[in-house]
Amino acid sequence: MTAMEQMGQKARQAARELNAVSGTQKNAALEAMASSLEEQTGAVLEANDRDITRARAAGMIDSMIDRLRLTKERVAGMAAGIRSIRALTDPVGEVMEGRRLENGLEVRKVRVPMGVIGIIYEARPNVTSDAAALCLKAGSAVILRGGKEAIESNRAVAQALRAGLEAAGLQPDTVQLVEDTSRETAAAMMKMNGYIDLLIPRGGAGLIRSVVENATVPVIQTGVGNCHIYVDESADADMAQAIVVNAKASRPSVCNAAETLLIHSGAAPALLPPLAAALREKGVRLRCCGRAAALLPGVPVEPAEEADWATEYLDYILAVRVVDSLEEAMDHIARYGTGHSECIVTENYEHAQRFTREVDAAAVYVNASTRFTDGGEFGMGAEIGISTQKLHARGPMGLRELTTVKYIVNGSGQIR
């Protein structure tokens, strides 16, 4: 039996034991995990410093280092995230529907745990605590496999979480971290049929594509966010500027950050110059179509190429295109969007309604930043990822999206 299979076997046993654990016990374990993480903040930050040093030496860009970096405040936020999950209603055991058949059988559709969930992710140590807490609350064991960039941080966080589980009297193997970050372990997780019930990739387009194309276990496709903001002809100028700047520059390394600005030709002459200035003050580089560049004389912009419209930059770069209509904007989104988050800034009610009906994405915004596509912001507590597919779950995946269903049938001797 391989090391990965041994982890899978331990996870399945832990998942079986979780079936007998009450909601009160799970909540006590979550509180113990949060407290343990707080108590081990120093060790976590020391481990993170080692990851940061190694990442800088390897030439990692600043926006990606920001995803990797932990601070005392961010660790406190991770602990707070665990407690926010603790406060959520437990979905396990919820009766979704029930009926009594003519033959007297009572049929109930009930939420139950997935069993064992696998997560493959990259340089975001907070995923370790978020995923562990969500899976525990949803009644499932979890196998975590982070990237090599964050291995020291992930190891320290996982150790703290497992210590909390043990202190609460739960099986520590409910949360396991794959410490071998080679491609072989990722490939093995993709084929752990019989051990992993659901695999969720969180990271860049390459990672997600690899998992979707190679996994033989069920997969939720998440994360790639080529997100657009369309500024309509009727848009309020101040609102448009605030939304675009926030969506692009507040944290460009995350999947809900805007990557392309589409602006109506009727609004562009007045709105684009001050908007470009505000973006450049935040350090954002603009890659413009010819029409957009012509409206920004003297501004050092870069010419946009075809590949720019399809790129998730995760950096201080924004593609800019002038369009002549709502239809042209929606056609652009349909061609280049990844189904994550799309926004229209408009004062035209009909345009807003058409945009929400016709744009195919997990989250569609009217007059609000795409940065809100997040489980915490949507009231789910932390989330395990943003699903951009349409089967089982779509959008931020919280507790309910981490459960499946079971039909419980009560009879009195009926036979068929």
Side-chain angles (χ1 to χ4, degrees):
M1 181 176 287
T2 68
M4 293 300 297
E5 288 171 334
Q6 289 175 357
M7 291 186 75
Q9 193 173 67
K10 292 177 181 178
R12 292 224 70 84
Q13 180 60 35
R16 286 187 63 194
E17 293 179 20
L18 274 178
N19 286 330
V21 171
S22 68
T24 299
Q25 289 173 292
K26 288 191 291 186
N27 285 341
L30 288 165
E31 178 58 38
M33 290 161 67
S35 297
S36 180
L37 185 57
E38 289 172 331
E39 291 165 4
Q40 297 191 37
T41 296
V44 170
L45 295 181
E46 288 176 8
N48 186 246
D49 284 343
R50 294 193 293 272
D51 285 332
I52 294 286
T53 299
R54 191 171 57 250
R56 288 195 184 281
M60 182 181 285
I61 61 175
D62 288 343
S63 62
M64 298 304 291
I65 285 178
D66 178 62
R67 295 177 71 148
L68 173 60
R69 179 180 291 110
L70 293 177
T71 62
K72 185 176 180 181
E73 291 73 23
R74 286 187 178 181
V75 175
M78 291 160 65
I82 295 173
R83 292 191 173 102
S84 72
I85 293 167
R86 177 187 182 278
L88 295 174
T89 300
D90 191 339
V92 176
E94 174 190 341
V95 179
M96 301 169 66
E97 59 183 71
R99 56 188 176 274
R100 185 182 181 90
L101 306 182
E102 290 184 3
N103 61 9
L105 289 176
E106 295 179 349
V107 181
R108 289 177 294 145
K109 185 179 181 180
V110 180
R111 286 195 186 276
V112 296
M114 281 284 179
V116 177
I117 298 173
I119 317 288
I120 300 178
Y121 55 107
E122 293 178 335
R124 296 186 68 178
N126 64 295
V127 174
T128 304
S129 60
D130 288 351
L134 278 165
C135 290
L136 173 62
K137 182 83 174 190
S140 288
V142 65
I143 298 175
L144 302 162
R145 194 274 186 191
K148 64 180 184 298
E149 302 87 355
I151 183 57
E152 299 282 353
S153 307
N154 290 336
R155 184 185 292 119
V157 171
Q159 286 173 351
L161 300 178
R162 286 170 59 89
L165 284 166
E166 192 166 18
L170 267 62
Q171 171 57 257
D173 287 336
T174 299
V175 176
Q176 296 183 80
L177 176 72
V178 179
E179 298 192 18
D180 177 354
T181 59
S182 66
R183 291 184 179 181
E184 288 74 17
T185 59
M189 281 187 71
M190 298 178 203
K191 301 184 185 302
M192 287 180 68
N193 300 76
Y195 297 106
I196 290 179
D197 296 292
L198 179 67
L199 184 60
I200 303 174
R202 286 194 60 171
L207 169 65
I208 294 168
R209 183 169 55 252
S210 176
V211 174
V212 170
E213 291 177 354
N214 295 295
T216 57
V217 298
V219 173
I220 292 286
Q221 185 170 339
T222 66
V224 178
N226 186 20
C227 305
H228 301 75
I229 295 181
Y230 167 56
V231 178
D232 197 21
E233 186 173 18
S234 66
D236 178 87
D238 292 338
M239 180 189 294
Q241 180 167 309
I243 288 173
V244 174
V245 171
N246 176 264
K248 176 70 261 184
S250 63
R251 197 172 182 191
S253 62
V254 293
C255 62
N256 56 27
E259 304 292 13
T260 297
L261 167 65
L262 303 172
I263 186 166
H264 193 282
S265 57
L271 297 189
L272 189 54
L275 177 52
L279 288 164
R280 285 180 49 76
E281 284 182 9
K282 296 291 187 179
V284 178
R285 294 156 49 197
L286 304 178
R287 293 187 179 170
C288 298
C289 72
R291 297 172 73 186
L295 295 172
L296 300 171
V299 177
V301 301
E302 304 167 32
E305 300 179 356
E306 176 65 21
D308 288 306
W309 309 125
T311 298
E312 183 188 30
Y313 296 110
L314 301 175
D315 200 356
Y316 286 93
I317 303 171
L318 182 68
V320 182
R321 181 183 177 188
V322 175
V323 296
D324 290 318
S325 65
L326 169 64
E327 289 76 13
E328 188 177 350
M330 293 193 295
D331 286 345
H332 181 105
I333 293 170
R335 179 174 180 181
Y336 299 105
T338 54
H340 193 295
S341 301
E342 309 292 358
C343 167
I344 182 173
V345 184
T346 187
E347 296 298 303
N348 185 310
Y349 177 78
E350 181 182 346
H351 284 190
Q353 292 299 103
R354 283 196 60 196
F355 194 87
T356 58
R357 283 197 310 266
E358 298 177 34
V359 170
D360 186 12
V364 182
Y365 292 84
V366 177
N367 297 334
S369 171
T370 58
R371 289 280 287 108
F372 286 102
T373 307
D374 176 273
E377 296 296 331
F378 278 17
M380 299 177 180
E383 47 140 82
I384 209 155
I386 310 292
S387 171
T388 54
Q389 64 178 33
K390 298 182 182 180
L391 294 179
H392 169 61
R394 195 179 193 196
M397 292 181 60
L399 285 173
R400 281 180 170 77
E401 290 73 27
L402 292 179
T403 61
T404 184
V405 300
K406 175 188 290 185
Y407 284 92
I408 297 177
V409 184
N410 289 328
S412 54
Q414 291 90 337
I415 60 175
R416 183 176 179 183

